[in-house]
Amino acid sequence: MNMQIFQALLDGVLMGGVYALAALGLSLIFGVMKITNFAHGAMMTVGMYTVYVVSTGLGISPYISLIFAAVTLFVLGYVIQHFLIDKISQAPTHNQLLLTLGIAYILENGLLAVFTPNYKTLEVDDFEGSIKLGQITLSPEKLVAFAVVFVVTAVIYLMLYRTRTGKAIRACSQNREGAQLMGIVIKKTNAIAFGIGALCTGIAGALLTPILSIYPTLGETFQLKCFVIAILGGMGNLWGALISGLIVGVVESVTGYVAGGSWSDLTVYAAFILILLVKPSGLFGRSNRREH
Amino acid sequence: MLQIKNLFVGYGKVTIIQDLSMKIDSGEVVALIGANGTGKTTLVRAISKLNTVSGGTITFDGENITDLSPDKIVEKGIIQVPEGRKLFAQMSVRENLEMGAFTKRARVNEKENLEYVYSVFPELKAMEKQACGNLSGGQQQMVAIGRSIMAEPKLLILDEPSIGLSPITTQHMFEAIRTINKKGISILITEQNVQDVLKMANRAYVMQQGKIVLSGKAQEISKSEELKKIYLGM
């Protein structure tokens, strides 16, 4: 195989991992609350700025600041669900969508007010140069990002499948009333689930900070991308989100190499529409049957 | 044990349960019968607080529980096996049973209760790892009842447990319910399978259009002419 295509493929997998983590959060939130979080991209940006501020302020590595971003976003997600979204959980779906959209604008404009619209770039001195394997060049930032995604995903998986709280989250997503009848407190479980979803996107943002220049509305790009990935994976299907994230990353990267960067998004969204035409519930989606 | 006084329950402006009073004593099996759409499910959902009570009181062991949240009701020991079972379809049989022991009260004896469930329904042990969504209706009903036993009920509410089950499975289910009752757990059961449930119950209430129209000992009710009238419109 042409080495440069292989290079594009690898880059795509590494970036796709980060997309996958953010989309996993979106899919989890949808799976449990049946709500599409339009503030997901903005939350990711909050994660980016948290890393930026903590790293530059305390002079520590962005990979340690990542922990601050994770905690901040978990708390932010928990609070948003507990005090805002929960209050209108009985409202029509479009009202809930508008609420998360409103939260997105508040977060974005808050960042604009505090940090100005100027690009900010974090100087990272954790690594020197890049890693070369024959003709393949790998950015250490992307490699670390992929490794962190792997670990975080494994921890979330273990949490959902091995702990009582995690099982309660899954129970709520599968049958809310059944969960209530077993004494599970829906309000608290929802808030934890939203917190974890926000944490995913926050960590994804934190991992992108050493790679990209950041600005307050950067999250919007990723909002749409997460949405596409989560839908491809079948909303609420966590494995689907992970695999779709990798697919989108690879398609984007390889198209960029073959046809030029401006074709990347076009190809991703065209492929998205085509797949939905053939399989409306997404690549890994279950049918639309919903239990009440 | 459970005392319901002058209860009103409705959805929006429509009142379904009107001025209903009933009681369940400790250790009893009480049947709640009535045709489809008379409000049986609405009533038991109100006891579990899945429906909002608009008037009247519910007391349990002398304590007013009318305004408690669903999780607090479970914590008190009122556990419901709902109509349609409401299992966690993509979780395994074992996980479903574990979720039954979610409350702090039920966690203490989780191990013993699991063994007890497997002794009542030995079939479940063999399919521990299977996803509940793949089981037959009868097996799912066993999981639903097992899950509620894991929650350590003092009062177990069963809403139409025989719905969609074959006659043999239904008999098996009733047998299990009797076994559970012998453990000292009070039971409130709604059924359309009237004659079978009346054989098992101590007392019965007959509901019609959101009201109790007949109540008494199960044996007497099963022979009463009024029941025939209500049911067959004769």
Side-chain angles (χ1 to χ4, degrees):
Chain A
M1 200 194 327
N2 185 323
M3 268 316 188
Q4 276 167 307
I5 291 226
F6 190 63
Q7 169 84 51
L9 205 78
L10 266 181
D11 277 341
V13 169
L14 295 184
M15 278 306 274
V18 180
Y19 298 162
L21 179 61
L24 175 82
L26 190 69
S27 204
L28 177 72
I29 289 171
F30 182 84
V32 179
M33 263 81 63
K34 307 287 176 256
I35 197 176
T36 307
N37 178 24
F38 277 101
H40 213 62
M43 286 175 163
M44 183 190 272
T45 323
V46 174
M48 293 172 174
Y49 276 91
T50 309
V51 166
Y52 180 80
V53 168
V54 174
S55 279
T56 48
L58 301 180
I60 56 175
S61 156
Y63 298 102
I64 296 169
S65 323
L66 183 142
I67 296 161
F68 288 86
V71 173
T72 309
L73 265 293
F74 179 83
V75 173
L76 182 68
Y78 190 101
V79 166
I80 285 176
Q81 172 64 32
H82 188 89
F83 291 103
L84 297 173
I85 298 175
D86 184 74
K87 304 287 179 228
I88 63 156
S89 60
Q90 303 303 319
T93 318
H94 50 265
N95 289 7
Q96 301 183 357
L97 293 187
L98 282 175
L99 175 64
T100 61
L101 201 58
I103 294 167
Y105 281 119
I106 289 171
L107 292 177
E108 268 183 17
N109 287 294
L111 290 173
L112 273 170
V114 178
F115 295 100
T116 74
N118 295 332
Y119 283 61
K120 300 246 188 300
T121 310
L122 193 63
E123 299 296 333
V124 186
D125 48 15
D126 293 58
F127 314 105
E128 275 178 34
S130 49
I131 300 163
K132 283 202 163 67
L133 294 167
Q135 285 169 283
I136 307 285
T137 316
L138 290 173
S139 123
E141 287 88 356
K142 287 185 184 172
L143 271 178
V144 171
F146 194 79
V148 172
V149 167
F150 190 82
V151 172
V152 172
T153 312
V155 169
I156 289 172
Y157 177 85
L158 285 177
M159 191 261 172
L160 288 175
Y161 284 81
R162 294 276 181 272
T163 69
R164 199 181 288 274
T165 309
K167 287 178 186 179
I169 289 175
R170 283 164 59 222
C172 282
S173 78
Q174 291 172 30
N175 200 314
R176 192 181 294 218
E177 281 195 347
Q180 277 181 298
L181 288 172
M182 292 303 112
I184 294 170
V185 186
I186 303 290
K187 187 174 173 165
K188 189 175 155 198
T189 313
N190 279 352
I192 294 172
F194 207 101
I196 295 171
L199 173 143
C200 288
T201 193
I203 292 180
L207 292 170
L208 289 171
T209 313
I211 302 172
L212 304 169
S213 288
I214 61 170
Y215 52 95
T217 51
L218 177 57
E220 287 170 9
T221 332
F222 293 104
Q223 172 75 44
L224 201 56
K225 214 163 271 179
C226 286
F227 204 43
V228 165
I229 294 168
I231 289 175
L232 275 184
M235 270 297 208
N237 180 341
L238 304 187
W239 289 115
L242 287 176
I243 296 165
S244 301
L246 294 179
I247 293 175
V248 166
V250 168
V251 170
E252 196 182 78
S253 170
V254 171
T255 318
Y257 167 71
V258 175
S262 48
W263 285 88
S264 302
D265 278 355
L266 195 150
T267 314
V268 167
Y269 293 116
F272 172 64
I273 292 170
L274 279 178
I275 290 170
L276 284 195
L277 285 176
V278 181
K279 207 164 177 303
S281 54
L283 284 176
F284 310 99
R286 294 187 183 85
S287 62
N288 273 331
R289 207 158 35 91
R290 240 196 232 168
E291 287 171 51
H292 288 281
Chain B
M1 182 175 215
L2 185 83
Q3 193 113 35
I4 297 173
K5 269 189 191 151
N6 311 104
L7 196 74
F8 287 82
V9 186
Y11 302 99
K13 282 180 181 167
V14 186
T15 309
I16 309 280
I17 305 291
Q18 297 187 30
D19 200 15
L20 183 146
S21 299
M22 68 184 286
K23 67 168 182 136
I24 298 161
D25 287 329
S26 198
E28 262 190 324
V29 177
V30 173
L32 181 62
I33 54 184
N36 235 339
T38 47
K40 303 187 299 287
T41 297
T42 305
L43 174 63
V44 294
R45 283 174 60 90
I47 298 174
S48 288
K49 294 316 299 276
L50 294 180
N51 284 345
T52 323
V53 171
S54 47
T57 56
I58 307 173
T59 51
F60 186 64
D61 284 340
E63 186 186 349
N64 187 340
I65 59 162
T66 322
D67 297 322
L68 294 186
S69 55
D71 55 292
K72 292 284 183 320
I73 299 288
V74 174
E75 196 77 62
K76 294 283 170 212
I78 301 177
I79 316 295
Q80 182 177 162
V81 180
E83 189 178 3
R85 304 180 275 267
K86 298 192 189 292
L87 293 173
F88 312 122
Q90 291 141 48
M91 289 167 84
S92 70
V93 169
R94 176 70 181 261
E95 283 180 314
N96 269 272
L97 295 176
E98 281 172 5
M99 291 328 286
F102 186 81
T103 60
K104 284 201 180 87
R105 189 175 57 85
R107 270 172 227 179
V108 184
N109 298 321
E110 187 174 342
K111 250 188 170 171
E112 290 84 347
N113 289 335
L114 188 65
E115 273 166 31
Y116 178 69
V117 170
Y118 285 152
S119 75
V120 179
F121 303 115
E123 276 183 79
L124 293 185
K125 173 121 192 169
M127 41 199 185
E128 221 180 31
K129 293 207 169 75
Q130 283 189 48
C132 275
N134 301 335
L135 305 184
S136 74
Q139 291 165 337
Q140 289 195 9
Q141 191 64 48
M142 288 180 204
V143 178
I145 294 177
R147 185 177 68 169
S148 69
I149 295 172
M150 295 295 290
E152 292 218 334
K154 289 176 189 162
L155 170 64
L156 181 63
I157 301 173
L158 298 136
D159 194 9
E160 306 272 5
S162 76
I163 217 161
L165 302 187
S166 70
I168 294 173
T169 322
T170 304
Q171 287 313 316
H172 185 58
M173 200 64 57
F174 280 4
E175 202 53 56
I177 294 167
R178 256 183 228 116
T179 315
I180 294 161
N181 175 244
K182 278 187 194 130
K183 237 191 148 192
I185 297 167
S186 315
I187 286 170
L188 173 63
I189 177 169
T190 80
E191 263 294 343
Q192 299 195 41
N193 203 331
V194 177
Q195 287 310 329
D196 279 337
V197 78
L198 286 179
K199 270 181 220 155
M200 178 172 71
N202 304 108
R203 287 189 304 115
Y205 290 91
V206 183
M207 254 181 109
Q208 202 177 23
Q209 292 178 342
K211 289 176 182 156
I212 302 285
V213 287
L214 193 62
S215 67
K217 286 197 171 136
Q219 278 182 323
E220 287 163 16
I221 297 242
S222 80
K223 286 175 198 143
S224 88
E225 289 298 314
E226 269 176 280
L227 181 70
K228 282 180 195 156
K229 266 189 213 157
I230 290 161
Y231 254 83
L232 303 171
M234 289 194 311

